Amino acid sequence: MPDATVRAVRLDSAGGPEVLELTDVRIPEPGPGEVRIRHQAIGLNFIDIYQRDGLYPLSYPTGLGLEAAGIVEATGVGVTRFAVGDRIAYANGPPGAYAERHVVHQDRAVQLPEDIGFETAAAAMLKGMTAEYLIQRVFHVKQGDAILVHAAAGGVGLILCQWAQSLGATVIGTVGSETKAELARTHGCDHVILYGHEDVATRVREITSGQGVAVVYDSVGAATLDASLNSLRRRGLFVTYGNASGPVPPLEPLRLSRSGSLFMTRPTLFDYVATVEELDASAAALFEVIRSGAVRIEIGQTFPLDQVRQAHEALAGRRTVGSTLLIP
């Protein structure tokens, strides 16, 4: 079909949720190597907030959103990975997923198996592939490891905790409420710490008989830096992969030395699915743990596309559990 008008979220500058505008835009025919997708479900992620508020700058005007699942309705010249009618999902851009339709390059999307639903895929792709690279490639979690997961009841946290437990790890999670604690317990956490009521590092040492954990997965950022470093065993790994409470402040290398020759890394999903082969392998591993039942995808809340501002307010205010979806 020719260029069509679709409903899509656009923003002209960085800022709060008020900069998000749902409007009618023209969506072009896919170019060489591209496919146009009719969305069935759209994933909402913290990186969307970082891009909206300017922590991760964008070029304006722009769309927003990196993750969605739907059906291919048009293909450009040279497309070989997909055909019209294929079920498809993607999780790494370009920004613009907050829309009824979106055009993406074929190399950034994957085939969606028939036994994985659209909403499950939109809720799981970015968060699930993040969990995959964190526990299989940034640090290879194995039987007997003790690990600490901050925001254990969040979208990535629920997947990561289940996956790590299925590998034989002892999973310690932090949450902010008893409601979230119960959710974490039923999704892979062997021990749950309410960070507002307990000293995290002290409790971790108690659980691990004084040793500390092999790795800390921290998506919270500034507010949890000290707890994360103080929870690690000698030569442990601090993985900071998010900034929900603000960016981690500058850290002197000597602090890592004094705390037990610690390691620190700040990875991003996009460097771990940089090639088609890496993307397909990561998605396949995710679909397999979902299919096996080792990981259940928790969709905590959904919002219609015209309530995108409310969705952002809920996510930024830490009033969500599990994954959040926008429905076009």
Side-chain angles (χ1 to χ4, degrees), residues 288-318:
E288 180 53 35
V289 293
I290 294 173
R291 188 179 291 114
S292 73
V295 169
R296 292 178 290 119
I297 302 302
E298 183 76 24
I299 300 172
Q301 47 283 308
T302 63
F303 294 83
L305 190 57
D306 60 9
Q307 291 182 14
V308 62
R309 292 180 180 178
Q310 294 93 317
H312 269 237
E313 289 168 354
L315 185 61
R318 304 182 76 171

Side-chain angles (χ1 to χ4, degrees), residues 173-222:
T174 70
V175 298
S177 69
E178 187 53 52
T179 299
K180 290 187 176 183
E182 185 56 33
L183 185 65
R185 291 188 189 101
T186 59
H187 288 75
C189 273
D190 299 292
H191 306 274
V192 180
I193 301 171
L194 272 70
Y195 58 78
H197 301 278
E198 304 174 88
D199 182 84
V200 172
T202 298
R203 185 73 185 105
V204 167
R205 296 287 173 182
E206 291 173 354
I207 294 168
T208 60
S209 301
Q211 277 198 319
V213 295
V215 60
V216 174
Y217 295 113
D218 191 338
S219 62
V220 177

Side-chain angles (χ1 to χ4, degrees), residues 12-14 32 47 82 92-94 101 106-107 118 130 134 143 182 206 223 258-259 270 272 286 306 321:
D12 294 324
S13 64
I47 191 173
F82 306 106
N92 54 345
R101 291 172 170 83
Q106 64 173 344
D107 291 348
F118 291 114
T130 296
L134 289 175
Q143 178 81 31
E182 185 56 33
E206 291 173 354
R258 292 169 183 151
S259 300
F270 308 115
Y272 282 82
L286 171 63
D306 60 9
V321 295

Side-chain angles (χ1 to χ4, degrees), residues 91-92 107-108 125 129-130 132-133 137 268-283:
N92 54 345
D107 291 348
R108 296 292 84 200
M125 282 289 291
M129 291 195 300
T130 296
E132 182 276 323
Y133 86 79
R137 290 185 280 160
T268 178
L269 170 64
F270 308 115
D271 287 324
Y272 282 82
V273 292
T275 68
V276 173
E277 293 77 17
E278 289 172 336
L279 175 65
D280 285 344
S282 186

